[in-house]
Each structure stands twice: as structure tokens, then as C-alpha cells.
Amino acid sequence: MASGFVNIRRDMDDQFYRYRMPILLTKIEGKGNGIKTVLPNMSDVARALSRPPSYTAKFFGYELGAQASVDEKNKRYIVNGAHDANRLRELLYDFIDKFVLCKSCKNPETELIMVKVGRSADIIRDCKACGERKGVDMSHKLSNFILKNPPIKARKGKKATNGDAAASVGGDDGDATTLPSQTAKRAVNAVAKVTTR
Ligand SMILES: [Zn+2]
């Protein structure tokens, strides 16, 4: 089967299970030392998991001991070397177990949130279904990548700090400290506009 959808949980074979994702596709490009595995639908698969595609691509790289390159702008996700599609699909399920599914109820509707612990931070899976909050394996290399590239959604409503955890995925770190005053100014302007009309 080269196209279609599969259940997000590998232990769930119910065809009416509501959480599904596109089957991960792979394409081998190049030759010799330049051979690489392109992941053409990585963004679609990652969207179904509510995770940035860079997380899954980097996860493959770490697990396979290969360089993974992420080009968000052109949606190009590549792992160096020739890798078997089924192996990558198995690794995707490992990613889902470790970084998506709620540890308690196995629901995939979780959000990764950063919780500061001293000078470091923990990554917590916040379950929308049962409310359970369980940490991820902080010793996994991907956890470090996530801390440096936090999901945008998790930052909303969070107080801006100087730390890495507050840096946005796309850069623009410099604005983090000035943000509260800017929003305050904007709010004042908005009120002014409303009252003058
Ligand atoms: Zn849960």
C-alpha cells in the first residue's frame, strides 16, 4: 500500500478509529555518498499529529544516526542515506509513542509545553482528552531540539523571557523582551481608536 491513511496508534486496527494520518511516503534521490531519503509528505503527516514536521524529520535522523535536513520554507525534509520506507514508518510510530500519545489515555490530542526547571526545562505532554500531564524522555536528542525550537502554539499566552525556551521557531528572538510593552501600546491604541469613533 503506497498511499492512503493509517491509524495514528499502531496498536489500534479499528478502521473507524478517528485519529488517522497519511501513510509516510519516501523517495530515494541521488547516488553514492550523496544518496538521500526525501520525505515528500512529511508536513501532511506531521500536521495530522499536530507536531512541526521538523520534529519528525530530526527524530528519524537521531534514531538512524544520519543527518536530517529541514527546509521549512520549501517543505523539504530529507534524511541522508537510503532508508527503507517501512523502517521509517516504524520509527514514526516510535515518535508518536514518545512525543505524541498521552501516556495515560493514549489519546493523540496532546500539546507539548515547556516547563522551566531551574536553568533547564522539561517538555510535558498536555492531554486535551483526560488532562494528564506527563513528561517526555529528556535524554532523547530530540528533546534538546524541541527546547531550542519550541512549538509556536505552546508559546501563546506565555510570559516572554530571555531564555531559549521563549525563542520562536522562525527566529526573531530579539523581540521577546520588548513584546509585552508593544502589546500594551497596541492595546492602548486600540482603546483610543474605539473611543474616538
Ligand atoms: Zn490523556
Side-chain angles (χ1 to χ4, degrees), residues 125-144:
R125 270 169 291 182
D126 184 12
C127 180
K128 302 294 162 212
C130 78
E132 184 70 58
R133 289 182 159 199
K134 284 266 166 70
V136 305
D137 177 9
M138 292 308 294
S139 67
H140 197 284
K141 281 181 182 168
L142 185 68
S143 299
N144 196 36

Side-chain angles (χ1 to χ4, degrees), residues 74-92:
N74 299 304
K75 292 189 173 178
R76 284 271 288 177
Y77 302 93
I78 294 164
V79 183
N80 280 2
H83 303 285
D84 179 58
N86 287 323
R87 171 89 176 109
L88 287 166
R89 288 168 193 156
E90 278 304 309
L91 286 176
L92 180 64

Side-chain angles (χ1 to χ4, degrees), residues 27-31 34-38 76 78:
K27 196 173 155 228
I28 308 290
E29 284 183 7
K31 281 182 189 148
I35 201 161
K36 56 198 175 189
T37 307
V38 180
R76 284 271 288 177
I78 294 164

Side-chain angles (χ1 to χ4, degrees), residues 11-28:
D11 59 344
M12 182 69 81
D13 49 20
D14 179 0
Q15 59 170 321
F16 298 111
Y17 182 59
R18 63 182 281 208
Y19 300 109
R20 295 165 75 76
M21 61 178 173
I23 294 175
L24 179 71
L25 303 176
T26 63
K27 196 173 155 228
I28 308 290

